[in-house]
Amino acid sequence: MKHAFVRAALGAALALALPMAAQAHKMWMVPSATVVSGDDAWVTVDAAVSNDLYYPDHFPAQLDQLVITAPDGSTVQAENENKGKYRSTFDLAVPQKGTYRIALVNQGVFATYELDGQKKRWRGNATDLKAGLPANAKNVEVNEMASRVETFVTQGSPSTGALKPTGKGMELVPVTAPNDLVSGEKATFQLLVDGKPAADVKVVAIDGATRYRNAQDEMDTTTDKDGKFSFTWPAAGMYWVNASADDKKTSTKEAKQRRLGYTATLEVLPQ
């Protein structure tokens, strides 16, 4: 479990540690379908950290922190979980009418320190911090991190029961239903931190087919005083939407700073 957490934390840290425009690796989940119908509907979800969006080429996402919320607010389990060399996959039955929220929720701490003149790093759970650092570590700096990577699947008509914020970390509240996005139309969302509007946060959206073009072609905007932001989608496709922020609201006494991150995969359909 500890090793799995470290791997998951590394993926989250990759997404949190670098400036958004310069990120080389991106963590994501992408479902085989975002809108389904029928009482026996299933989706398969891929999850990975990669250089190119939705093209697994680096390492698989860890599924230990997977949380799936059904339209009625209940928690449901994935099936057929598998971790490969470059990606993780799982299946999900979606019998309920409405919108499912599929999330990888990572929380922990990471530390930098010097040992015998060498710079070192450690990542893990806050409860393991003291034991994880060498006794003679010097210049120790500890930060908390909290990230959420999500995607959404709707059976029939959209609903909001699964989309209620938990009040922890950075979260997205859809104003426009996340499975009702159409090219050329404006979609609006609200970004929260600990359940409160996150104002003045930069948000980036990137069309997922980055492997087949030379530029990221990212769109960016900034949340308003209510944490709200909008994008008008230029074309159909799977979009990677990402935001990050820092604050001092730590719960670990050794930590000086908290790094927050949010990522969603949203499908935009043609007109």
Side-chain angles (χ1 to χ4, degrees), residues 163-173 189-199 201 223 226-229 260-262:
L163 308 181
K164 297 176 182 176
T166 67
K168 298 179 180 178
M170 182 175 283
E171 297 180 277
L172 187 79
V173 176
F189 308 92
Q190 184 183 33
L191 200 64
L192 305 179
V193 170
D194 296 337
K196 298 179 180 178
V201 176
T223 59
D226 297 317
K228 293 183 177 178
F229 66 95
L260 302 152
Y262 179 85

Side-chain angles (χ1 to χ4, degrees), residues 24 95 130 132 137 143 149 171 206 249 252:
K130 186 175 181 180
N143 292 279
V149 179
E171 297 180 277
I206 301 176
K249 298 178 181 178
T252 305

Side-chain angles (χ1 to χ4, degrees), residues 9 12-19 106-112 121 123 141-148 169-170 193-194 243-251 255-262:
L14 286 169
L16 289 171
L18 301 174
N106 293 294
Q107 292 185 316
V109 298
F110 67 96
T112 59
R121 294 181 178 181
R123 297 178 178 87
E141 292 189 6
V142 179
N143 292 279
E144 284 186 6
M145 58 183 180
S147 71
R148 176 178 287 268
M170 182 175 283
V193 170
D194 296 337
S244 61
D246 297 337
D247 66 25
K248 305 293 186 183
K249 298 178 181 178
T250 62
S251 57
K256 297 180 178 178
Q257 181 175 253
R258 181 175 66 158
R259 293 187 176 184
L260 302 152
Y262 179 85

Side-chain angles (χ1 to χ4, degrees), residues 176 180-187 232-236 267-271:
T176 305
D180 192 21
L181 309 179
V182 179
S183 65
E185 294 187 359
K186 179 180 175 182
T232 299
W233 314 105
E267 184 176 36
V268 176
L269 297 174
Q271 289 275 1

Side-chain angles (χ1 to χ4, degrees), residues 213-227:
R213 60 179 188 265
N214 292 325
Q216 292 285 298
D217 291 342
E218 68 180 42
M219 304 182 294
D220 62 69
T221 188
T222 303
T223 59
D224 65 14
K225 63 181 178 58
D226 297 317

